[in-house]
Amino acid sequence: MNFFERQQQARRQSGRLVILFAMAVAAIVIAVNLVYLVAVGGFPEDGSPRNVLGGMLVVSVVTVGIIAVASMHRISSLSSGGAAVARQMGGTPVPEDTTDLHYRRLRNVVEEIAIASGVPVPQLFVLEDEAGINAFAAGYAPGDAAVAVTRGALDKLNRDELQGVIAHEFSHVLNGDMRLNIRLMGLLFGILALAIVARKVLLHGRGNSRGGLPVILVALAVLVVGYAGQFFGRLIKAGISRQREFLADASAVQFTRQTTGLAGALKKIAGLPDGSRLASRDTEEVAHMLFGDGVGYSSLFATHPPLLARIQALEPSFRAEALEDQSARWQMHPPSGLDEDVALGLDARTPPPLPGDRAELQVTPPAVVAQVGAPQANDYARAGALVKAIPEVLRHAARERDEAPAMLFGLLMAPPGKVRERQQFELSSRLDERLVRQTLDYADRLAELPRILCLPLAAMAMPSLRRRPRAELELFMDTCYVLTHADGQVSVFEYCLGRLLGGHVKHLLDPAANSRPANRRLADQSAAAIEVMAVLAQAGHDDPAAAMRAYLAGIARVFPRLNAPYRPPAEPLRALDAALPKLDDVEPVGKELLLEGLVAAVSHDGRICVAEAELLRAVSATLRCPLPPMLEA
């Protein structure tokens, strides 16, 4: 199952969730109306049920209103992104300048996986008071995601095991599970709200006279109905969550291309006393988002498959007896993740070499499409090599809230000359003197940075941007625009960086921007697809005749029966800006076909360079189809 099939499945799961929720609400409304009928003594014997029916209508509207308002309120309270959920669970943000070895290892692993996955680096949190091994990812979309891990996971897991757990959580980010999880939290809270209202009525009605007895009896009945609704809501949550957890395990193995890390983490959960249980009283609400069972549910309400079943899915020959032996050893010698890293040599692995700016790859469309949302072990190794190749002073700037904007501005600065003087003038008119000096300093440092490292460096700065207020983000994007257009033209690199930053900041300013459904047919957006195809064919080939052949090759894959002559736009990047938002609304299957055609066009000459790969990645990111930083040959 590839990225696009997983996206389709997530859409079906969302549709099924809406149907099940509607059925649960209908059942609750019927039950509450039955309580109302009993309270009023049923229909009158004179055959005039008008008043009773009117009362039932009011009861139905009030019941649905309570559930709807509570659900919307809960979903709205989480609209600020995954950080809200992490803080609700008691998460502590990982400091940028930390010297803690556990924190640094966690940050390195998450940055590597984010860069390898082609998504912004999420915010990091640690649940310091939780000794169990667990983790979760939360948010509406990759741009506002947060990853939280427990102190138990940091202390007890080695690097490969931690990478397996984080890869599992990233699969939820890439598969579209996070938005589904947020909706589950909101909808289940709405069902529970009826019981909460009834309980409040009972508490305030205790001291009333006997005249309030009917109200108390009705509230008691509604309370029972509300908790019955919660019972079925938990069943819905458990059924959906178990399916997604098996898929996430499989995706994590597909990503890392090794089962040892993920299986090792699951074995430690099964064999250690603390397991994956969490002490927080809010665990119930986020149980379906966790890596392991944080509550200790019975099999009926279990949000996760049995641990032994998950381990055997990764290692079919594994037996329960082996787990008992390992558990006995861990009881005598509790595991230490950092000590295991040293013993296994996990921190001493040599990173692979990186391609130069002029390097070219031979790629095939199916191979590139297979990489979408599916980073593999060599992608993680390359991402680690990219991070290590970036000078420490620049890595530090990307992680620092006050340094990141100046470093990102530095990426857009021209070499010394008239264009830079114009840029410096624009900076001075918008920013304070300290920030201008920082920008010029970073511009000089970045001048020698290999191009292949620039976009990963920008991706590392995303968590720092998230912590800035709205007014500063708007000023930041305005400054980026001015720096980009200072010479009157936009280079491919400037366009790609602008797309990366613009998409991320746009989501921060308007979280609903990434929440719209992608359900349009590709055929309905054929004009936009043809425009993008022409731009990428033109970008990948200097010779107009070669560009036309590349365009026709791409069109033949996407629209084999369509007569669409090659008409390259006069302003290619402006044409991209106009066409890409329309294509973002296309359903996943259509995006898969489109991306295959775009790869066929840009690589029609048998090779693809770093600049072409960056443009392809920028287009894919806009379509919410993330590609790793280096395409597979």
Side-chain angles (χ1 to χ4, degrees):
M1 185 179 291
N2 66 15
F3 169 82
F4 302 98
E5 291 165 338
R6 293 193 296 268
Q7 291 283 308
Q8 287 285 84
Q9 187 185 66
R11 290 177 62 201
R12 288 194 296 270
Q13 292 275 17
S14 296
R16 191 176 305 149
L17 173 63
V18 171
I19 293 172
L20 291 173
F21 178 72
M23 292 171 62
V25 171
I28 290 172
V29 169
I30 292 171
V32 172
N33 274 297
L34 289 175
V35 171
Y36 170 77
L37 279 176
V38 172
V40 300
F43 289 104
E45 296 180 359
D46 61 5
S48 176
R50 181 175 301 173
N51 291 337
V52 175
L53 290 175
M56 291 177 65
L57 178 62
V58 172
V59 167
S60 300
V61 170
V62 170
T63 302
V64 173
I66 291 173
I67 295 174
V69 170
S71 295
M72 289 188 290
H73 170 74
R74 186 66 184 125
I75 293 175
S76 175
S77 70
L78 300 171
S79 62
S80 57
V85 181
R87 291 192 179 94
Q88 173 188 313
M89 291 296 295
T92 301
V94 175
E96 300 85 4
D97 56 350
T98 181
T99 57
D100 183 284
L101 293 179
H102 291 96
Y103 281 178
R104 287 171 59 185
R105 183 181 63 161
L106 172 64
R107 185 180 292 283
N108 290 339
V109 168
V110 171
E111 285 177 348
E112 290 169 13
I113 294 179
I115 290 172
S117 304
V119 299
V121 177
Q123 290 179 275
L124 297 180
F125 292 83
V126 174
L127 309 181
E128 289 288 1
D129 298 328
E130 302 291 355
I133 297 173
N134 225 321
F136 66 84
Y140 274 97
D144 69 359
V147 171
V149 301
T150 60
R151 169 51 66 177
L154 288 187
D155 290 343
K156 297 165 187 172
L157 300 181
N158 64 42
R159 198 182 199 280
D160 278 352
E161 291 164 349
L162 185 62
Q163 187 186 62
V165 171
I166 298 299
H168 172 104
E169 295 309 317
F170 262 80
S171 74
H172 286 308
V173 175
L174 295 168
N175 293 345
D177 294 344
M178 293 194 306
R179 189 176 296 127
L180 180 66
N181 286 336
I182 293 289
R183 288 171 179 166
L184 261 176
M185 290 177 68
L187 298 182
L188 293 176
F189 181 80
I191 291 176
L192 179 62
L194 200 63
I196 294 174
V197 171
R199 190 168 58 195
K200 294 289 185 184
V201 172
L202 284 174
L203 290 174
H204 290 289
R206 282 180 178 176
N208 291 350
S209 63
R210 294 185 60 186
L213 183 61
V215 174
I216 293 176
L217 291 176
V218 170
L220 184 61
V222 172
L223 180 70
V224 173
V225 171
Y227 279 112
Q230 186 188 27
F231 172 85
F232 290 106
R234 283 180 175 175
L235 288 180
I236 294 171
K237 177 172 74 172
I240 291 176
S241 179
R242 281 196 294 267
Q243 295 178 18
R244 305 305 292 175
E245 289 303 316
F246 262 133
L247 177 59
D249 282 349
S251 297
V253 172
Q254 178 184 344
F255 292 176
T256 59
R257 280 296 183 267
Q258 53 99 358
T259 62
T260 308
L262 186 60
L266 293 170
K267 290 173 187 175
K268 286 181 178 177
I269 289 175
L272 291 171
D274 294 316
S276 58
R277 294 285 294 272
L278 300 184
S280 172
R281 63 181 182 180
D282 294 316
T283 303
E284 157 72 27
E285 191 176 22
V286 301
H288 59 294
M289 303 169 66
L290 299 172
F291 172 73
D293 181 3
V295 178
Y297 284 122
S298 64
S299 58
L300 182 64
F301 296 111
T303 52
H304 296 69
L307 278 172
L308 187 59
R310 292 176 72 181
I311 295 170
Q312 289 176 336
L314 302 170
E315 297 180 3
S317 62
F318 186 81
R319 294 293 174 263
E321 296 77 20
L323 188 60
E324 294 173 3
D325 294 340
Q326 287 184 329
S327 179
R329 289 197 297 272
W330 285 329
Q331 294 286 348
M332 296 177 61
H333 304 286
S336 167
L338 292 179
D339 290 345
E340 289 182 19
D341 287 350
V342 175
L344 297 172
L346 299 183
D347 284 337
R349 290 180 286 205
T350 304
L354 299 175
D357 289 352
R358 298 182 179 276
E360 294 179 340
L361 280 176
Q362 293 182 338
V363 299
T364 62
V368 173
V369 169
Q371 282 189 277
V372 174
Q376 300 177 7
N378 49 357
D379 290 313
Y380 292 131
R382 289 169 182 159
L386 288 170
V387 173
K388 290 179 181 177
I390 297 172
E392 175 60 32
V393 65
L394 297 178
R395 294 206 303 266
H396 176 77
R399 295 164 179 162
E400 280 285 344
R401 179 185 182 278
D402 294 331
E403 300 281 334
M407 186 275 295
L408 292 169
F409 292 150
L411 285 171
L412 293 169
M413 295 297 288
K418 290 185 178 180
V419 175
R420 177 178 281 203
E421 290 174 2
R422 197 175 305 127
Q423 289 175 321
Q424 187 172 344
F425 173 78
E426 295 291 350
L427 286 173
S428 300
S429 66
R430 286 172 167 79
L431 310 175
D432 60 66
E433 186 179 347
R434 180 191 61 84
L435 194 52
V436 174
R437 285 199 309 269
Q438 284 181 327
T439 299
L440 296 175
D441 178 56
Y442 283 122
D444 294 335
R445 294 176 183 273
L446 290 161
E448 302 300 322
L449 191 71
R451 177 164 178 168
I452 198 169
L453 300 178
C454 292
L455 292 183
L457 175 62
M460 291 172 62
M462 295 301 106
S464 302
L465 285 184
R466 291 190 188 102
R467 295 192 294 274
R468 305 195 76 84
R470 183 184 187 91
E472 291 186 17
L473 287 174
E474 291 174 342
L475 175 61
F476 171 80
M477 288 308 301
D478 178 62
T479 306
C480 286
Y481 180 87
V482 169
L483 295 178
T484 299
H485 292 80
D487 58 354
Q489 54 188 0
V490 180
S491 68
V492 171
F493 170 75
E494 290 171 334
Y495 180 81
C496 295
L497 181 60
R499 270 283 163 192
L500 171 67
L501 297 175
H504 181 68
V505 173
K506 178 183 177 183
H507 181 75
L508 293 177
L509 297 176
D510 180 17
N514 268 354
S515 300
R516 64 179 186 273
N519 51 20
R520 300 287 298 275
R521 293 170 61 246
L522 181 59
D524 297 334
Q525 301 290 0
S526 58
I530 290 169
E531 193 85 338
V532 173
M533 191 76 69
V535 172
L536 264 69
Q538 186 180 25
H541 304 83
D542 295 329
D543 178 32
M548 182 179 69
R549 291 192 296 271
Y551 164 82
L552 294 175
I555 288 294
R557 281 181 177 266
V558 183
F559 303 114
R561 299 177 182 175
L562 185 65
N563 180 20
Y566 176 57
R567 295 190 180 94
E571 299 182 79
L573 299 182
R574 190 182 295 273
L576 274 184
D577 281 337
L580 288 176
K582 300 175 184 176
L583 294 174
D584 187 28
D585 294 335
V586 171
E587 60 187 356
V589 173
K591 288 180 180 179
E592 179 180 16
L593 182 61
L594 173 64
L595 187 57
E596 196 166 314
L598 294 177
V599 177
V602 79
S603 64
H604 188 255
D605 55 1
R607 61 187 186 275
I608 184 169
C609 68
V610 172
E612 294 165 348
E614 287 178 345
L615 182 58
L616 186 62
R617 287 185 66 230
V619 170
S620 298
T622 305
L623 301 179
R624 291 180 277 178
C625 302
L627 274 170
M630 284 178 277
L631 303 182
E632 197 69 57

